[in-house]
Amino acid sequence: PEVGSALVESKDVDMISFTGSTAVGARIFEAGGKTMKRLLLELGGKGACIVCEDADVGKAVAALASVWGFHSGQICTAPTRVVVQRGIHDQLVAGLQAAAGRLVVGDPLAPDTVVGPVISAGQRDRIEAHVRAGVDEGATLLAGGERPEIDAGFYVVPTLLVDCKPGMSVVQQEIFGPVVVVLAFDDEDEGVALANGTDFGLNDYVFTGDTARGMRVARQLRSGSVAINTAQQSPEAPFGGFLEIELDDRDRREHALDEALPGSIRGGLSSPGLQAQAEWWHAVPASLPVPCPESRSACRAPPIPSPQAVRPEGDEYREPAHGLRGHSYRPSRCDTTGAAPVSQGAVSPDPSPRHP
C-alpha cells in the first residue's frame, strides 16, 4: 500500500494504469485527482450471457464452460451470469452440469488439467464464502461446493448455482472464480433488464439463432461490448465499459499506447496519425451522410476514412477501400444503396473512435 500510494500521489508520475477492484480504483481516482493524473482503470465485471430459446444450446454450453477453465474464472470479461429463456432453461442447465463434471481440476502443468488453482488461499476462501452465501440466500448448488484434495495450490472446483434471483449477492457481486450463476427469464424485455441489473457493464453475450434478434438485444445492453454466439473477444475492438468498470475504453490497438503519451506526440503511432484524421473530419460538413447501420452487421459505427481518401464529392459518400476506422454516429434514414441522403445524416466532429 505504501508504494502504491506514493506512486499515485507523486507529481513525478503522469499516468496510472490499474487493474483490480472497484474499491481500490476509487481510491486511486480520488488520490490521483489531486495532481490531475491521467488514469486508465479496469475494475472488474459481471458479464451476462443471454441465451434465447432459439439458441444453439450446445454452442452456448461450450462457451459458458470457458468460465471454469479460462484462468479458473479469474477474468473480468467472463460470462458468469447466465440469463436463459425459460423454455430451454432445463436443457441448458443439464448441459452445464454435465460439462462441470467433466472438467479435470489439478496441476496446471498436467496435460489433462482444464481448471487450475486460483491465485491464493485468501481468494479461494472468498470464493467459497460467496458460494455459501448464495446457497443461504436460496440458490441451488448443482455442481461444486467441495474443496478438492490436492497437495499444492489453492483450488475451487467448477461451481454451478441455479434458481438464482436478481438481488442475490452471487448475482450482484464479482466472485472472480470458477462460479456460474443462472437466472431464468420469460420475454426479451425481462432478459435485458436482468442483464442490465448490476453495477457492472464490461462485457455481455447473446446466444440466438436469429441475427436480427441478437443485434436488437445487444443494442439494449449497457455494456462496453457484446459478443453474439461466441465468448471470444475481438482484439480489434476498443475495450472498456460502463458503470463501475472503466475510466477509459481504448486500451487495445494503437489507442492503448496513444493514451499514455503526451498530447504533443499522440497520433504518431498510426500512419499517417490520428491528428490527420481529426483534421479530415474537421473539414467535413456536418451534413455528410453516414452508411446505413443496418448494413454493418459487426459494428454500430461507420468508418473514419484515412487522410489519403478522396474527399466526398456531390451528394453521396462512399467508403474508401482502405484505412477505415470506427467513429460515433447518429443514425439517419437510409436508402437502398446503404448511404443516407445528405439532408438526413450527420456525423460527430469528435475524432475519438468511441461507440455510443
Side-chain angles (χ1 to χ4, degrees):
E2 293 80 7
V3 174
S5 297
L7 288 172
V8 172
E9 295 171 3
S10 173
K11 293 183 179 180
D12 296 324
V13 176
D14 295 322
M15 179 178 179
I16 296 290
S17 177
F18 170 77
T19 299
S21 70
T22 299
V24 175
R27 290 171 59 190
I28 291 174
F29 181 82
E30 180 180 5
K34 297 176 182 178
T35 52
M36 301 300 290
K37 280 186 175 53
R38 299 180 61 79
L39 298 176
L40 195 157
L41 308 179
E42 200 282 278
L43 305 177
K46 191 70 176 178
C49 180
I50 297 180
V51 186
C52 302
E53 59 189 358
D54 59 355
D56 182 328
V57 174
K59 181 182 289 187
V61 168
L64 291 164
S66 69
V67 173
W68 294 315
F70 192 21
H71 298 317
S72 303
Q74 300 169 113
I75 183 166
C76 55
T77 59
T80 54
R81 286 185 299 140
V82 181
V83 183
V84 56
Q85 200 151 15
R86 204 172 299 278
I88 60 168
H89 173 275
D90 293 348
Q91 182 184 358
L92 182 78
V93 166
L96 289 172
Q97 185 178 16
R102 291 194 298 267
L103 300 180
V104 178
V105 180
D107 183 348
L109 298 179
D112 60 343
T113 294
V114 178
V115 183
V118 296
I119 192 170
S120 66
Q123 179 61 15
R124 177 198 59 196
D125 295 345
R126 281 189 290 271
I127 295 169
E128 291 176 344
H130 276 295
V131 174
R132 289 194 299 270
V135 173
D136 291 344
E137 291 174 344
T140 301
L141 183 65
L142 281 190
E146 71 277 6
R147 183 178 294 185
E149 296 181 1
I150 301 174
D151 292 337
F154 313 103
Y155 293 85
V156 179
V157 299
T159 302
L160 179 64
L161 291 166
V162 301
D163 301 324
C164 295
K165 304 301 179 185
M168 290 181 175
S169 60
V170 289
V171 175
Q172 292 295 321
Q173 298 177 21
E174 184 181 36
I175 298 174
F176 216 62
V179 180
V180 171
V181 303
V182 180
L183 303 92
F185 72 94
D186 291 306
D187 59 38
E188 196 172 290
D189 289 342
E190 182 186 8
V192 169
L194 288 172
N196 288 337
T198 73
D199 289 332
F200 299 94
L202 180 56
N203 284 81
D204 284 341
Y205 307 82
V206 180
F207 281 80
T208 175
D210 184 338
T211 300
R213 184 183 196 184
M215 295 297 290
R216 181 176 66 245
V217 171
R219 289 189 177 106
Q220 298 177 72
L221 297 177
R222 185 69 170 165
S223 180
S225 63
V226 177
I228 297 178
N229 292 330
T230 181
Q232 300 298 313
Q233 303 294 315
S234 170
E236 290 295 304
F239 182 74
F242 297 96
L243 305 173
E244 296 183 5
I245 301 296
E246 317 284 338
L247 287 180
D248 198 280
D249 65 354
R250 294 184 291 176
D251 58 336
R252 277 189 180 151
R253 300 179 63 188
E254 70 270 23
H255 303 302
L257 297 177
D258 213 44
E259 282 297 296
L261 294 174
S264 60
I265 60 173
R266 275 188 224 162
L269 301 176
S270 60
S271 179
L274 298 180
Q275 182 60 40
Q277 294 174 21
E279 292 172 357
W280 191 94
W281 277 107
H282 182 72
V284 172
S287 59
L288 177 68
V290 297
C292 171
E294 298 302 325
S295 69
R296 300 180 62 80
S297 59
C299 182
R300 295 179 57 192
I304 292 180
S306 70
Q308 293 96 337
V310 177
R311 286 289 307 277
E313 295 182 2
D315 293 337
E316 291 184 332
Y317 161 71
R318 292 290 181 261
E319 298 178 9
H322 64 283
L324 303 185
R325 298 183 184 275
H327 196 71
S328 59
Y329 77 100
R330 178 160 53 85
S332 61
R333 180 175 61 83
C334 301
D335 62 16
T336 56
T337 66
V342 172
S343 60
Q344 297 295 323
V347 298
S348 164
D350 177 9
S352 303
R354 295 178 181 272
H355 289 250

